[in-house]
Amino acid sequence: MPEQSAGMPRRRTVLASAAVTAAGVPLIASAGQAVAASGGGRESGGGAATTQAPDRELRKLLQEVDANRIEATVRRLAAFGTRHTLSVQDDPERGIGAARDWILAEMKKYAAVSGGRMTAELQSYIQEPASRIPVATRITNVVATLRGSVTPDRVYVVAGHYDSRVTDVMDATSDAPGADDDASGVALVMELARVLAKRRPAATIVFMAVAGEEQGLYGSRYAATQFKAAGVDVQGMFTNDIIGSSRADDGTRDPYTVRLFAEGVPTSETPEQANTRRSVGGENDSATRQLARFVNDVGDNDATGMNVRVVYRRDRYLRGGDHIPFLEQGYPAARFTEPAEDFAHQHQDVRVEDGKQYGDLPEFCDFDYIARVTRVNGAVLWTLAQAPGTPRQARIVTSNLTNDTELKWALGTEPDLAGYEVVWRETTEPEWTHVIKVGLSTTHTVDLSKDNVFFGVRAVNRDGKRSPVAFPMPGN
C-alpha cells in the first residue's frame, strides 16, 4: 500500500479528506472530489463517489429515443382490445396472439438492420392448470437478443409484460387496453431494441416482452429458469412495469422521478449465507442493491433528465413483478415503476362512473415521461454492456486478526480491462463515499478496520467505464 500522507484515513478513524501522492494524484477520493475528477456532471445518488458522467456516445444514443414512436407502440398494443393471457391466440386482430405476432414482427425489423448481431424469436411453453390458469395454456415471450461483440457470455436483460387485465383477473374477453400496465414497459423495451440494434455493445443485451404476468409471473419465471438451466451469466435484469404516467391519483405530477425497487436481503439467500450476512453485515449490500447504486451513478443526470428514487424494497408493498423470478434464481434484478400510481387506470373495467373515466387507456399516459424512463434504462444498459463485468470472488481475507483490511478478487477476462478500484463508506452511509485506485492488482490492503466501514471492488476499462461494485465476503 502507498505510504500514507497527512490527512489520510487511519484504521481507527474515518476522515473525509483525500490522500495525495507526490504527483498530485488522489489515492482516496471523497464523493465531491470523485465527481470533479470525472469531468463534472450533476452529482447523483447524494453525490456518490462512484458517479459516472455520460459521455458523448451515450448522449447521442439517448437523443435517439423517440416519444412519438413510444406513443405509437402504446396505442397499437391497446388497439388489440385485450391482451389477457387467456384470450384468443389465433385471431389476427384481437387478443394476446395478435399482440405477440405484432411485437415479434417489429423486433425482426430492428434485427434486420443490426448486421446480424440481433435475433428475434418466440419463447413458448405450455402452462398446465395452475393458479389463475384454469386450462392448459400456451405462454409466449417475445425475445430479441443483441449479442455482445467482446464478452457475449455476459448478459443484461430488460423486460416489460405485454399481457393485460381488467377488474376480474379471469375475464379474458372484455376490453383490457393495458396502456400503462404494461404497454408502457413494452414500448420502452421495443424502443431500446430499435435504438441499440444499430450499435455494437461489448456484452449481450436481451430485450423481452413477457406474458402471463397478471396471472402470476408465468412468462418471466419460465425465462429465468431457462437462463439458469443454461448457465447464462445474467449480471443484471430490469423489469419496467407501470412506467407510463407521472400523475398520481390525487392529480399531482412528478414528471422527473422514477422509482427503482431493489431488495436488500436476497430472495435466493441460503441459511448459510444468511448466517454470514448476520455476522458481517451487508443487508444493504446485495448484488441487487449494488445494481441500484449503479443505476443512480449512470442514470440520474442531465442526459436522462430524471431523478432515480431507489426504494429499499423488493417491490411495492405486498406486491410483485417480473424481476422476482430472476431474484429467485440468484440474479441481480430490480423494478422500475412510476412515482405514484393512479389505481383508476390500472386493473379496471373500462367504464364511466359519476362522470369519472376508469380503465387503463392511452389517454392517461404521459409519453414524454415514458421516453425519459427509457433514457434511464438506456443509459444503464449501455454502460453496463460497455463496462467490465462485476468483479468475481471478491473477499476480505480473514485468516489473521488485524486492524487493517486485505481484499482479494479474481482477475477479469475483458481485453480492455485497465484496473480496479476499492470503494468504501461508513456503515451508516447509503452510497459509496470514497474510491481507491489500485491498478491491475487483484489484492489490496487498506489501513482501515473492516469492523468500522464497508468495502467494495469495481473494475475499470481503458475508456474509463466502471462496473457495478462487488461486495466482498469473508474468505482467504
Side-chain angles (χ1 to χ4, degrees):
M1 181 179 180
E3 181 181 353
Q4 289 187 331
S5 58
M8 189 171 186
R10 300 285 177 175
R11 65 170 68 103
R12 295 172 184 83
T13 62
V14 176
L15 305 177
S17 61
V20 179
T21 66
V25 179
L27 294 171
I28 299 183
S30 64
Q33 292 162 328
V35 172
S38 69
R42 183 163 72 101
E43 291 188 15
S44 64
T50 48
T51 297
Q52 300 188 58
D55 60 18
R56 182 179 302 176
E57 177 186 39
L58 179 56
R59 288 179 182 277
K60 183 178 185 301
L61 182 158
L62 299 181
Q63 288 170 359
E64 294 178 23
V65 173
D66 188 339
N68 292 326
R69 294 185 66 95
I70 289 171
E71 178 176 0
T73 298
V74 170
R75 292 188 181 279
R76 183 67 190 94
L77 289 170
F80 287 111
T82 180
R83 305 188 306 277
H84 195 282
T85 296
L86 303 176
S87 63
V88 295
Q89 299 199 21
D90 56 0
D91 186 320
E93 301 296 332
R94 181 179 177 86
I96 194 166
R100 170 202 66 210
D101 294 344
W102 180 80
I103 296 169
L104 177 63
E106 292 298 300
M107 291 293 208
K108 285 186 172 180
K109 290 179 185 176
Y110 309 151
V113 300
S114 71
R117 292 183 298 277
M118 179 182 280
T119 58
E121 60 188 354
L122 299 179
Q123 180 189 63
S124 296
Y125 79 105
I126 301 298
Q127 175 60 52
E128 297 300 330
S131 176
R132 296 185 175 182
I133 304 287
V135 297
T137 301
R138 179 175 294 278
I139 305 244
T140 302
N141 302 324
V142 185
V143 182
T145 302
L146 180 59
R147 186 169 174 81
S149 59
V150 180
T151 54
D153 292 339
R154 176 162 53 98
V155 175
Y156 301 96
V157 179
V158 61
H161 71 87
Y162 72 100
D163 60 307
S164 63
R165 61 165 287 189
V166 289
T167 306
D168 179 1
V169 71
M170 301 305 293
D171 181 350
T173 58
S174 296
D175 281 352
D180 192 1
D181 185 15
D182 183 35
S184 64
V186 174
L188 177 153
V189 170
M190 294 177 67
E191 181 65 359
L192 284 181
R194 182 188 71 84
V195 170
L196 295 179
K198 298 171 287 186
R199 291 175 164 83
R200 190 181 296 273
T204 295
I205 304 174
V206 177
F207 309 86
M208 300 184 65
V210 302
E213 192 273 349
E214 302 290 8
Q215 306 309 108
L217 313 180
Y218 286 101
S220 61
R221 180 159 287 112
Y222 182 74
T225 56
Q226 291 297 108
F227 278 128
K228 193 68 173 182
V232 177
D233 182 21
V234 177
Q235 294 199 9
M237 183 273 182
F238 300 97
T239 186
N240 286 266
D241 194 354
I242 312 178
I243 50 96
S245 176
S246 59
R247 183 186 183 279
D249 52 5
D250 63 359
T252 59
R253 292 184 179 274
D254 188 358
Y256 300 103
T257 297
V258 62
R259 289 183 291 174
L260 180 68
F261 287 87
E263 73 173 12
V265 175
T267 293
S268 63
E269 185 179 69
T270 66
E272 181 182 12
Q273 290 168 337
N275 285 336
T276 300
R277 173 180 52 78
R278 284 189 287 266
S279 178
V280 305
E283 293 82 0
N284 193 23
D285 281 284
S286 65
T288 294
R289 286 281 165 86
Q290 306 304 345
L291 194 62
R293 292 186 176 103
F294 185 91
V295 171
N296 249 341
D297 287 345
V298 305
D300 184 329
N301 51 52
D302 66 329
T304 65
M306 292 292 280
N307 167 56
V308 178
R309 179 182 181 180
V310 176
V311 182
Y312 286 171
R313 283 196 171 102
R314 186 171 73 169
D315 207 317
R316 300 145 305 156
Y317 204 78
L318 296 178
R319 299 164 75 188
D322 285 319
H323 60 306
I324 292 177
F326 284 80
L327 293 170
E328 291 169 347
Q329 297 298 330
Y331 293 130
R335 177 202 178 111
F336 284 105
T337 203
E338 60 199 28
E341 297 169 68
D342 187 343
F343 301 106
H345 304 304
Q346 60 175 267
H347 295 189
Q348 291 282 348
D349 293 337
V350 179
R351 67 193 189 280
V352 176
E353 286 185 6
D354 299 324
K356 180 180 176 66
Q357 177 71 62
Y358 288 82
D360 192 354
L361 298 163
E363 64 198 73
F364 298 109
C365 287
D366 178 343
F367 301 107
D368 288 332
Y369 176 79
I370 302 173
R372 286 192 292 274
V373 179
T374 303
R375 292 187 184 101
V376 172
N377 278 257
V380 171
L381 287 164
W382 183 251
T383 307
L384 283 169
Q386 296 299 82
T390 304
R392 304 279 193 182
Q393 303 174 36
R395 57 205 187 274
I396 290 176
V397 176
T398 55
S399 54
N400 297 304
L401 286 174
T402 66
N403 280 315
D404 56 16
T405 303
E406 182 182 0
L407 297 109
K408 291 184 177 181
W409 55 91
L411 184 67
T413 59
E414 295 87 355
D416 63 343
L417 184 65
Y420 291 90
E421 295 173 342
V422 170
V423 299
W424 61 269
R425 70 182 198 274
E426 289 271 17
T427 63
T428 52
E429 285 287 335
E431 305 292 339
W432 299 110
T433 55
H434 289 74
V435 176
I436 308 169
K437 301 179 186 299
V438 301
L440 270 172
S441 174
T442 58
T443 182
H444 191 77
T445 299
V446 185
D447 196 11
L448 287 169
S449 173
K450 64 186 72 66
D451 295 336
N452 297 339
V453 299
F454 284 138
F455 290 96
V457 181
R458 67 177 182 175
V460 187
N461 68 12
R462 287 195 292 267
D463 289 337
K465 291 183 172 59
R466 272 80 172 169
S467 74
V469 169
F471 186 70
M473 301 306 292
N476 292 309

